[in-house]
Amino acid sequence: MQFEFTDDQKRFRAEVRDFLRRELTPEVWAQHRDTGEQGMWSVPFTKAFRRKLGAAGYIGMGWPTEYGGGGRSRIYQAIFWDEMEYARAPGLDRSITYVPNTLLAFGSHAQKEALLPRVVRGELAWFVGYSEPEAGSDLANVRTRAVDDGDSFIVTGQKAFSSDAHMADYSLVLARTDPGSSRHRGLTLMIVDMTSPGVNISRHPTLAGWTHHAVYFDGVRVPKSMVLGEVNEGWKVVMGAIDFERAALASHGLVAFQLDRLLEWTQLGSDQGSPPIQEPTVQDELVRLAIESEGARLTTYWLASLHAKGLMPQHETSLAVLVKRETARRLDSSGLEMLGPFGPLRHGSPAAQLEGDVELEYRDRLYFQFAAGGFDITRNVIALRGLGLPR
Ligand SMILES: Cc1cc2nc3c(=O)[nH]c(=O)nc-3n(C[C@H](O)[C@H](O)[C@H](O)COP(=O)(O)OP(=O)(O)OC[C@H]3O[C@@H](n4cnc5c(N)ncnc54)[C@H](O)[C@@H]3O)c2cc1C
């Protein structure tokens, strides 16, 4: 078993790290930070930065060259995602990770030719419209319907939890195309142009203060050429897309960043006394977190190595996401405790430590527990598909 990165991969990591340090200086962070946005960066900056990533050749490194990809091993892509997360960089979302992977796997040649080169240049933002008010974890309970109208479908319905819908150029929308069908049969996944007449977006505040969205489709015309995969076979496509989504979430950079930030802070003294790291309980906790972080790192690269071999792991992906997200949540809680009386001070408070980010992120990342499968559903996947346990 080879646990080491090659020299070229190490060089690549250093190059990406340099790029991000140059581009995302503390001044840039201060100027373009927007705590009202999911991802905490302003929309214009996120869009501009994604184009920079495209120009630097960082988008689609692991995709075939035919559609503008870099044709490199998936390990490079994993390194890039890792560094982006560590830097808390904008733009690392579905638009450059799992949506294009879904297009590659299920799209027609014409769709790939039209869309992927633009994705690689960082020009397109996407949202995915699976969830509905009555179809959260129970995804097959889709009520949005798409009625056949010659060479188009007419889509009507509501999507909930529509991350980044307000900045999206396109969306992947799951709709019921067979009116007599139920559950996972008779569904179709289609690419919808968000500038189409009949698309409306509403805004909803979250506990962390940023705004989330719901999208309403009111008789939106979608050409049949925009169907992804086969009509009425959308469930198969969505299951593949969700595997790609989970694979994209299984990065280690976030956990590494949280741990390093905490390690650094606990070594600083304060007006209140000696550095927290001198406390045996703090030391114990940091060691425990460091071990968990290393577990998350190894799981991430184990998964990347499976992808690099051309495999399409399923329950392994869920396992990696669970390890990462649970570790991140433990770091959130431990961070708050270690900050002691400073912990609850909010972003913007003069005495807040680490810009009040630990408290803000604690509230922000509550969604790890139920979004994109969440902890319960992810455990179900590991139990059923991985361990073969009965339902
Ligand atoms: C921040 C955020 C961003 C999101 N972004 C998007 C997006 O861009 N596009 C999109 O389509 N969706 C998105 N979602 C939706 C998300 O993926 C989940 O589908 C949704 O949050 C879960 O649905 P629900 O809230 O209705 O919870 P419910 O389905 O009502 O679940 C409630 C609780 O019960 C548990 N539970 C439910 N069913 C089971 C079961 N069978 N076994 C064990 N436990 C179970 C869940 O884990 C959860 O804890 C997002 C959600 C959040 C919070």
Side-chain angles (χ1 to χ4, degrees), residues 360-382:
L360 183 63
E361 292 163 15
Y362 180 85
R363 278 182 289 133
D364 176 26
R365 280 192 284 265
L366 274 175
Y367 76 85
F368 271 17
Q369 283 157 235
F370 39 86
F375 294 167
D376 302 318
I377 305 291
T378 306
R379 281 201 162 77
N380 282 354
V381 173
I382 297 166

Side-chain angles (χ1 to χ4, degrees), residues 128-176:
V128 293
Y130 309 149
S131 302
E132 297 185 3
E134 301 298 323
S137 306
D138 184 19
L139 188 55
N141 194 15
V142 168
R143 292 184 181 181
T144 295
R145 59 185 196 283
V147 177
D148 195 325
D149 188 39
D151 56 4
S152 306
F153 283 109
I154 306 294
V155 178
T156 303
Q158 179 190 346
K159 295 293 172 182
F161 304 113
S162 309
S163 296
D164 296 334
H166 63 316
M167 65 164 103
D169 303 289
Y170 288 99
S171 56
L172 296 185
V173 174
L174 187 63
R176 193 162 296 285

Side-chain angles (χ1 to χ4, degrees), residues 72-250:
R72 298 178 98 167
S73 150
R74 286 292 179 95
I75 300 287
Y76 287 86
Q77 192 169 283
I79 291 172
F80 171 65
W81 290 356
D82 228 3
E83 291 300 320
M84 286 280 290
E85 262 195 11
Y86 192 92
R88 297 191 288 174
L92 182 69
D93 62 30
R94 70 204 76 70
S95 305
I96 64 170
T97 60
Y98 60 88
V99 167
N101 274 328
T102 307
L103 289 177
L104 269 170
F106 299 102
S108 66
H109 177 64
Q111 288 166 350
K112 292 184 211 176
E113 217 173 30
L115 295 168
L116 284 174
R118 296 181 65 197
V119 167
V120 169
R121 290 197 296 271
E123 291 171 6
L124 296 184
W126 294 75
F127 106 85
V128 293
Y130 309 149
S131 302
E132 297 185 3
E134 301 298 323
S137 306
D138 184 19
L139 188 55
N141 194 15
V142 168
R143 292 184 181 181
T144 295
R145 59 185 196 283
V147 177
D148 195 325
D149 188 39
D151 56 4
S152 306
F153 283 109
I154 306 294
V155 178
T156 303
Q158 179 190 346
K159 295 293 172 182
F161 304 113
S162 309
S163 296
D164 296 334
H166 63 316
M167 65 164 103
D169 303 289
Y170 288 99
S171 56
L172 296 185
V173 174
L174 187 63
R176 193 162 296 285
T177 32
D178 178 352
S181 65
S182 65
R183 305 296 302 159
H184 55 276
R185 282 178 284 278
L187 297 171
T188 301
L189 192 65
M190 47 191 80
I191 302 166
V192 179
D193 182 338
M194 291 294 282
T195 61
S196 310
V199 175
N200 291 296
I201 301 175
S202 65
R203 301 165 69 88
H204 304 274
T206 64
L207 188 63
W210 44 264
T211 306
H212 215 192
H213 302 89
V215 180
Y216 300 83
F217 297 92
D218 185 9
V220 175
R221 183 170 290 278
V222 181
K224 283 187 176 162
S225 59
M226 295 303 248
V227 164
L228 203 50
E230 301 294 319
V231 173
N232 293 333
E233 296 292 331
W235 189 251
K236 198 175 72 186
V237 184
V238 165
M239 288 299 103
I242 285 177
D243 282 334
F244 288 126
E245 177 174 358
R246 292 189 178 134
L249 298 175

Side-chain angles (χ1 to χ4, degrees), residues 327-348:
T327 306
R329 285 308 279 156
R330 270 193 282 280
L331 275 151
D332 284 335
S333 312
S334 299
L336 267 188
E337 276 181 35
M338 286 181 202
L339 284 165
F342 296 107
L345 295 182
R346 292 206 163 180
H347 179 73

